[in-house]
Amino acid sequence: MNANTNTINAVFRNHVVPNEQSSKRAGRPIFVDMEVCDLTFPANTKTKATFPAHEPEPNATRESVAAGGGVVTYAMLYNQQYLAFKDGNTQPLSGTPLSEAPFLMEGKRRELIALNVKTVEQLASLDGTPLKQLGMGGRELKNQAKAYLDNAAGSADITNLAAEVAALRQQLAEERSLRQEYMTNAADERTRPTLDPDGNPPTDEAPANLDEEDDLEPVVPPTEAEIDAMDDAALKEYIAKETGSRPKGNPSHTTLLAAAKELALV
């Protein structure tokens, strides 16, 4: 049982149970509240399991102990739901609610919820007997759910890439500005006349050659094809050469390509 598979519905509640020892001592019925976790399964309305919230969950505990950890209770395994229960809030679903699925009509959405299918991830994960419980068209619904999740993941990748490129562009712009400021200050220092002991410039000092760098050969930036052929190390070296600093962090190859092409204006 893995809380990350998005295939189990976990809901916590208080369950009233009799306390036999206290009842005997008091001579009247005594009840106590016990926090429990109800587990239901998508496309399976006949199976429901209830466990004490702070009892070890066998599979998660076995994996944790094997990795050198300790006991994992149901409250720990489904911690988001448990914390919401303790705060008196609606317990969140683990995944994307069916209400966010544009490919579902309201009638079909309600049918799925009645079958304990509450998220797009659960619908996409159905197979075998649970999938058959959806009846005719169930396979198509599963495929639509998978396509929706795949498209969403692709959009997220594009968004993340754009954010990475924007961050690197900002870094390069700042470093380019600092380098330009340094070069300007250095040029001013070179052209400032040398003063004599009285604070006056010598009359015979030759004027500074402001165009001494004009004789240098212009640097030809790499072509788009040449940039595409670079590996990550070569891209970082080129960016460092152009900006005076290597890219921070560990940007992806695509991000490095975009930054290098921007520097080369290709």
Side-chain angles (χ1 to χ4, degrees):
M1 189 182 301
N2 188 335
N4 295 323
T5 60
N6 296 317
T7 58
I8 297 174
N9 299 310
V11 177
F12 290 88
R13 61 182 173 86
N14 282 318
H15 177 61
V16 179
V17 295
N19 187 319
E20 295 183 1
Q21 291 184 351
S22 295
S23 297
K24 281 184 179 181
R25 287 196 298 267
R28 59 184 172 82
I30 301 292
F31 294 86
V32 295
D33 285 334
M34 174 186 290
E35 294 179 344
V36 297
C37 178
D38 292 329
L39 301 181
T40 57
F41 307 88
N44 184 346
T45 58
K46 296 181 179 179
T47 302
K48 178 179 179 180
T50 300
F51 302 95
H54 304 289
E55 178 180 287
E57 197 287 318
N59 293 330
T61 295
R62 187 183 309 114
E63 294 175 5
S64 174
V65 171
V71 169
V72 178
T73 66
Y74 290 90
M76 294 166 64
L77 185 62
Y78 304 101
N79 193 244
Q80 279 189 318
Q81 290 88 336
Y82 179 72
L83 292 178
F85 158 70
K86 294 297 289 182
D87 290 339
N89 299 325
T90 301
Q91 296 179 45
L93 294 172
S94 181
T96 304
L98 292 185
S99 59
E100 300 300 316
F103 57 88
L104 289 176
M105 300 295 288
E106 184 58 29
K108 181 58 67 176
R109 187 177 289 112
R110 294 189 181 188
E111 287 181 24
L112 291 170
I113 292 175
L115 288 170
N116 287 329
V117 181
K118 300 181 179 181
T119 67
V120 179
E121 287 84 354
Q122 289 177 347
L123 179 56
S125 69
L126 292 180
D127 218 340
T129 300
L131 181 59
K132 292 179 182 177
Q133 297 301 312
L134 302 188
M136 186 175 296
R139 174 67 63 176
E140 177 60 24
L141 288 175
K142 171 188 171 78
N143 292 339
Q144 288 179 324
K146 291 183 66 176
Y148 171 81
L149 294 174
D150 289 343
N151 289 336
S155 298
D157 288 342
I158 293 173
T159 301
N160 292 336
L161 174 59
E164 281 188 0
V165 172
L168 186 52
R169 282 175 179 169
Q170 179 65 25
Q171 176 197 341
L172 297 181
E174 292 173 356
E175 291 169 351
R176 188 180 299 160
S177 176
L178 289 173
R179 186 175 64 160
Q180 184 61 41
E181 182 180 350
Y182 171 79
M183 293 176 65
T184 300
N185 292 337
D188 290 344
E189 189 66 29
R190 289 198 304 271
T191 58
R192 185 176 294 119
T194 303
L195 302 179
D196 63 18
D198 295 328
N200 299 314
T203 57
D204 58 346
E205 181 176 350
N209 183 10
L210 300 180
D211 299 325
E212 61 183 0
E213 294 184 358
D214 292 346
D215 296 332
L216 298 176
E217 270 188 50
V219 177
V220 179
T223 65
E224 184 172 8
E226 289 173 335
I227 292 176
D228 285 334
M230 295 181 184
D231 59 15
D232 286 3
L235 288 168
K236 290 179 180 179
E237 184 177 346
Y238 171 67
I239 292 171
K241 179 181 177 183
E242 291 298 308
T243 65
S245 177
R246 294 176 69 83
K248 298 175 183 176
N250 189 27
S252 66
H253 182 74
T254 307
T255 302
L256 292 171
L257 275 177
K261 288 179 180 179
E262 180 169 334
L263 287 171
L265 299 179
V266 298

